[in-house]
Amino acid sequence: MKDKIFAGLLLLSILLQGCDNQTTQASTAGNDTERKIDALLKQMTLEEKVGQMNQISFSGENGKVRELVCKGEVGSILNITDPDMINSLQQVAMEESRLKIPLIIGRDVIHGFKTIFPIPLGQAASFDPQLIEDGARIAAIEAASTGINWTFAPMIDIARDPRWGRIAESLGEDPYLTSVLGAAMIKGFQTDELDGPTAIAACPKHFVGYGAAEAGKDYNSTFIPERLLRNVYLPSFEAAVKAGAATFMTSFNDNNGVPSSGNKFILDQVLRKEWAFDGFVVSDWTSIAEMISHGFCKDGKEAAEKAVNAGVDMDMVSELYVKHLKELLQEGKVKQSTIDDAVRSILRIKFRLGLFDNPYISTDAKEVIYAEEHLQKAKEAAIESAILLKNEANILPLGDHIKTIAVIGPMADAPHDQLGTWIFDGDKNHTVTPLKALQQQYGDKIRILYTQGTAYSRDMETNGIPAAVSIARSADIVLAFVGEESILSGEAHSLSNLNLQGVQSELIEAVAKTGTPVVTIVMAGRPLTIGRDAEHSKAVLFNFHPGTMGGPAIADLLFGKAVPGGKLPVTFPKTVGQIPLYYAHNNTGRPYQGGETLLNDIPSEAGQTSLGNTSFHLDAGVEPLYPFGYGLSYTTFEYSNLRLSNTQMTASDVLNVSVDITNTGNYDATEIAQLYVQDCFASVTRPVKELKRFDHIPLKAGEKKTTTFTLPIAELAFYNIDMKKIVEPGDFNLWVGPNSQEGLKASFVVN
Ligand code: BGC
């Protein structure tokens, strides 16, 4: 039966192709797919069409799922990972259902499938698109080997609030960095050939604004005006469309009163009309039904109507399309063409994935899962993702004089927690923890003493601290592994307090009092307010949950086999009260000047005054704990001789910016140089700085290199007072440096 239909479709497409021998090969293939889709659509009943728009979650083998697939009433299943079960359901779709339309199998493969890479926020700290592409490639290879052909990633929400648990899953606070890295991740998942055996469809999410949840509370409302939406929250999604993303997912939040799953402006106007996206849009989990709780729809029927008319093609598990689309069509509230367009987009991706031709799993999972090269890449990623925040007197890397180390803290040997959030398929039995790695690599040369001090990150029990103090006394150095359990970040896990949980700070303080130097190694899902802990530590190495190979990566970093080079993809606040705190803020009319009177400088009974005062917190100033882009190395770098190819530019010119960077220390290392631009005066106020380029510069000790950034002036365009994306003429400042606060400065003019 299946063969007959395909033979028929093939014949039809050959006949049609014969009429049009002028087209290029690529567009012929595209036209061919469109013809196949049209042919299928003509044969489909309304139930079968709505079936394609219905995604269900697999809840174990039962006759009901097979029956739905057989009747063509389900187009996609998520959360099924047993290859035999996937093949068997696919077989029902391909051999028993009337039209033989394959299922698309979705799963959250977020930072690795089995081999777990650092959480996305950690990967972002590498500022390394190739590394991120490689990580996604490996995740796709492993996931595809079990029959998954669609991942709900990358998450490219701009995340400027570390209280929000899902910041862990983001690529940080910056639109440019997120755009570049998100596109790299899409390329890694999809490759250039979506129908390749190991390619899986990407699903950039959550469209849009989800990261701006008020108070960092997950699912909360957002209020992002259109200009900010276009300048900050949309660019990473536009870059995802340009990178060829096959699908999109809507977000849970309502923005300015409109939930994303019912937002025609973003789904139809922006995504389809302005960006010409031709893949399909899936809702987030029950987000169509949740429009009732939002108070945007009175019942499931209205929710289905608003979602489909806004442009949500597939309903993730609400089952409201299945329940209501037929009636809505009969009542004229939904047009047939709307349903056809949705089905067309879904079938298009199924064709592009090659699922009609190769619906079954073709790789043997045993060969690729936890393959040695995957583990090595995961280790490399964990190394590149680590950020050295402090290194007083170059205490790191640890030298030969270290004979005894005291390993303490709840994260030293926490195989589950170092994997981070969203690791449905990860297995802690494959994790190598820092304790294990240190014992394996250095156990025969160095005395390693170990006690947790506190059992898990939230543990309030202090009676383990004396044992930690005792081993600290006998050691040359303390390695304190602290941070967050994985469950403290991720979806629905927001926090209002970002200090180290439990008694971890007390533990660090107690061991520091022994006089033995403390190196604090943090593993967490978000930026933490660790100022107090950093003060008690000689060095701080921050790792966003580093994944399966975090242990060996950290061991190599501590002992200098690898040199840290990661940079913060997000600002670290000193206190929660400073949030939102991000580097690319606008200036007020009274910008902070430095040297302002802080809380403790104010005399008692001081008279009311506002004149001359600037925008800052009396108790925190304006400075973050660590700025965006910040990260130290074991070596030092010097920037010099910044020069521009021209200082008088037009919007069509390309600016070349050159700078010399010298490795002035003793280690071969890589510097991530960053270029920021400020549009000084415009029709609307502009950020004080925006990242526009970054580059990795490997330098041997003592070596000096010139690096040149190429910046088309057109990339300085923004949505202006008339909501037009243009480069406005005027003065610009430019910085090249090691982070968002330091750097050499130059200026240019756009005429
Ligand atoms: C999350 C999505 C995820 C989906 C499917 C939702 O709760 O917000 O990011 O892809 O579940 O698991």
Side-chain angles (χ1 to χ4, degrees):
M1 181 69 172
K2 161 193 156 198
D3 295 337
K4 264 192 230 152
I5 288 184
F6 276 99
L9 288 174
L10 195 65
L11 182 65
L12 180 71
S13 70
I14 289 168
L15 287 174
L16 290 169
Q17 261 177 28
C19 313
D20 184 16
N21 52 16
Q22 302 286 337
T23 46
T24 63
Q25 244 189 337
S27 67
T28 307
N31 291 341
D32 191 28
T33 302
E34 296 306 310
R35 281 187 206 106
K36 287 178 184 170
I37 295 169
D38 284 339
L40 259 182
L41 269 172
K42 281 196 188 110
Q43 301 173 60
M44 290 171 88
T45 62
L46 179 62
E47 284 73 14
E48 284 164 338
K49 288 178 181 172
V50 175
Q52 284 304 307
M53 299 165 72
N54 183 33
Q55 183 183 50
I56 59 168
S57 180
F58 187 68
S59 50
E61 159 59 339
N62 59 40
K64 185 154 176 268
V65 178
R66 301 187 90 81
E67 194 189 319
L68 287 174
V69 175
C70 183
K71 289 201 295 196
E73 288 179 8
V74 53
S76 172
I77 303 182
L78 80 159
N79 296 336
I80 174 171
T81 49
D82 172 6
D84 294 332
M85 184 59 65
I86 293 175
N87 268 344
S88 135
L89 287 171
Q90 202 66 283
Q91 199 174 0
V92 176
M94 298 311 291
E95 290 175 20
E96 295 172 33
S97 80
R98 198 175 74 87
L99 293 177
K100 326 276 175 252
I101 301 175
L103 295 161
I104 179 166
I105 306 294
R107 182 72 163 168
D108 290 278
V109 181
I110 306 298
H111 52 110
F113 180 63
K114 290 284 185 187
T115 304
I116 301 298
F117 278 64
I119 56 171
L121 192 58
Q123 292 187 45
S126 75
F127 279 57
D128 187 343
Q130 188 59 53
L131 187 88
I132 283 178
E133 183 183 327
D134 293 347
R137 189 80 289 277
I138 286 169
I141 290 170
E142 293 193 0
S145 74
T146 71
I148 290 158
N149 39 48
W150 182 21
T151 175
F152 305 120
M155 189 182 107
I156 48 175
D157 296 314
I158 300 305
R160 294 180 163 182
D161 191 331
R163 293 171 297 183
W164 189 48
R166 296 199 86 167
I167 197 170
E169 222 187 312
S170 80
L171 297 167
E173 74 181 42
D174 186 67
Y176 176 71
L177 183 64
T178 301
S179 299
V180 173
L181 302 185
M185 213 183 265
I186 291 166
K187 180 144 189 248
F189 288 133
Q190 298 194 163
T191 72
D192 292 329
E193 286 167 6
L194 197 53
D195 60 353
T198 63
I200 62 176
C203 185
K205 65 188 187 185
H206 305 85
F207 199 53
V208 62
Y210 186 35
E214 279 201 324
K217 221 166 39 167
D218 208 1
Y219 314 124
N220 210 1
S221 297
T222 61
F223 296 93
I224 310 170
E226 185 179 340
R227 185 169 300 103
L228 188 64
L229 194 69
R230 288 187 179 277
N231 284 330
V232 172
Y233 292 89
L234 289 176
S236 53
F237 288 94
E238 185 174 10
V241 173
K242 288 195 180 130
T247 72
F248 256 54
M249 186 188 291
T250 59
S251 57
F252 284 122
N253 58 299
D254 63 320
N255 187 44
N256 303 327
V258 184
S260 294
S261 296
N263 192 331
K264 202 172 163 84
F265 169 70
I266 58 164
L267 297 176
D268 188 52
Q269 171 59 32
V270 175
L271 182 60
R272 296 281 180 198
K273 298 208 169 84
E274 295 180 22
W275 299 346
F277 175 68
D278 71 354
F280 73 87
V281 176
V282 65
S283 75
D284 202 346
W285 183 282
T286 67
S287 69
I288 297 182
E290 289 171 26
M291 293 199 290
I292 305 168
S293 307
H294 273 294
F296 187 69
C297 305
K298 69 174 183 306
D299 54 23
K301 188 173 161 193
E302 191 183 355
E305 178 191 337
K306 283 194 170 165
V308 78
N309 284 337
V312 179
D313 304 309
M314 186 181 278
D315 171 4
M316 186 189 284
V317 310
S318 284
E319 295 186 11
L320 294 179
Y321 283 180
V322 172
K323 284 195 189 117
H324 301 292
L325 283 191
K326 189 171 182 182
E327 201 182 336
L328 287 164
L329 185 72
Q330 283 158 358
E331 290 170 7
K333 290 184 175 153
V334 171
K335 288 194 207 129
Q336 182 64 56
S337 60
T338 304
I339 293 179
D340 286 354
D341 284 349
V343 178
R344 191 173 274 116
S345 300
I346 294 165
L347 293 178
R348 188 176 292 128
I349 296 308
K350 289 186 174 182
F351 274 111
R352 282 189 191 155
L353 275 166
L355 288 176
F356 283 89
D357 296 328
N358 296 302
Y360 304 113
I361 296 150
S362 54
T363 328
D364 184 355
K366 281 187 250 60
E367 288 168 11
V368 297
I369 301 271
Y370 295 118
E372 188 49 34
E373 64 265 32
H374 296 185
L375 294 170
Q376 282 319 310
K377 207 24 119 177
K379 177 179 168 190
E380 209 182 292
I383 288 173
E384 275 204 49
S385 301
I387 310 124
L388 184 65
L389 295 177
K390 176 177 179 181
N391 195 19
E392 201 177 302
N394 294 328
I395 191 149
L396 288 179
L398 302 176
D400 292 341
H401 61 285
I402 300 290
K403 303 289 179 225
T404 306
I405 57 177
V407 174
I408 63 163
M411 296 299 288
D413 195 25
H416 169 77
D417 288 318
Q418 81 176 49
L419 296 180
T421 186
W422 282 117
I423 46 121
F424 282 162
D425 303 288
D427 177 355
K428 70 170 184 177
N429 293 316
H430 287 263
T431 302
V432 187
T433 65
L435 180 68
K436 290 281 161 344
L438 289 168
Q439 285 167 338
Q440 275 163 15
Q441 289 181 41
Y442 299 97
D444 57 342
K445 301 177 212 82
I446 294 173
R447 215 169 128 229
I448 299 174
L449 310 172
Y450 170 61
T451 183
Q452 277 184 310
T454 176
Y456 56 102
S457 71
R458 286 162 300 150
D459 186 10
M460 295 304 293
E461 184 55 65
T462 51
N463 64 12
I465 295 181
V469 169
S470 157
I471 64 166
R473 285 213 179 91
S474 332
D476 302 312
I477 193 121
V478 177
L479 302 180
F481 290 88
V482 296
E484 290 183 308
E485 297 150 76
S486 57
I487 194 60
L488 297 186
S489 60
E491 184 175 353
H493 288 80
S494 295
L495 286 170
S496 69
N497 177 349
L498 302 181
N499 294 337
L500 286 175
Q501 298 282 334
V503 293
Q504 297 182 91
S505 293
E506 287 78 353
L507 175 67
I508 292 172
E509 213 168 320
V511 293
K513 277 203 188 117
T514 64
T516 306
V518 178
V519 171
T520 294
I521 301 104
V522 188
M523 295 190 214
R526 56 160 65 76
L528 295 172
T529 48
I530 47 166
R532 166 182 169 191
D533 314 295
E535 267 172 34
H536 291 119
S537 312
K538 297 282 177 219
V540 178
L541 183 68
F542 201 96
N543 309 264
F544 293 108
H545 289 131
T548 305
M549 295 296 281
I554 290 170
D556 279 7
L557 288 163
L558 291 174
F559 282 91
K561 281 196 194 160
V563 178
K567 303 273 189 170
L568 292 179
V570 62
T571 304
F572 272 43
K574 286 187 287 200
T575 73
V576 166
Q578 291 181 293
I579 299 169
L581 188 69
Y582 50 92
Y583 83 93
H585 61 87
N586 291 358
N587 249 338
T588 66
R590 293 184 178 190
Y592 184 74
Q593 307 292 327
E596 270 81 346
T597 308
L598 293 177
L599 195 66
N600 295 330
D601 306 325
I602 303 174
S604 64
E605 298 209 347
Q608 161 75 30
T609 171
S610 59
L611 207 60
N613 283 346
T614 64
S615 176
F616 69 106
H617 288 118
L618 283 175
D619 54 353
V622 293
E623 298 299 327
L625 183 60
Y626 303 108
F628 175 88
Y630 176 82
L632 302 169
S633 171
Y634 292 156
T635 192
T636 43
F637 299 102
E638 202 177 277
Y639 287 70
S640 60
N641 200 15
L642 176 66
R643 54 225 185 257
L644 310 186
S645 55
N646 197 343
T647 53
Q648 297 292 323
M649 310 294 294
T650 69
S652 54
D653 288 342
V654 173
L655 178 65
N656 289 321
V657 180
S658 300
V659 71
D660 298 340
I661 305 178
T662 312
N663 180 340
T664 48
N666 299 323
Y667 293 84
D668 299 350
T670 297
E671 166 71 335
I672 302 170
Q674 301 155 45
L675 184 154
Y676 296 85
V677 174
Q678 177 189 26
D679 187 344
C680 303
F681 310 100
S683 61
V684 291
T685 55
R686 303 284 299 129
V688 295
K689 268 183 188 181
E690 288 177 294
L691 182 70
K692 291 290 173 190
R693 286 288 182 275
F694 55 86
D695 202 3
H696 286 234
I697 324 287
L699 289 164
K700 300 231 173 307
E703 194 186 3
K704 175 179 179 173
K705 269 188 201 158
T706 298
T707 188
T708 301
F709 296 99
T710 303
L711 180 67
I713 296 298
E715 287 192 33
L716 304 180
F718 65 99
Y719 284 87
N720 74 355
I721 191 82
D722 302 318
M723 210 61 86
K724 296 243 157 49
K725 191 177 181 191
I726 61 163
V727 182
E728 289 189 348
D731 298 344
F732 290 79
N733 288 327
L734 177 150
W735 295 260
V736 177
N739 59 59
S740 62
Q741 279 191 349
E742 297 169 85
L744 302 175
K745 185 177 174 188
S747 300
F748 62 96
V749 176
V750 175
N751 298 301

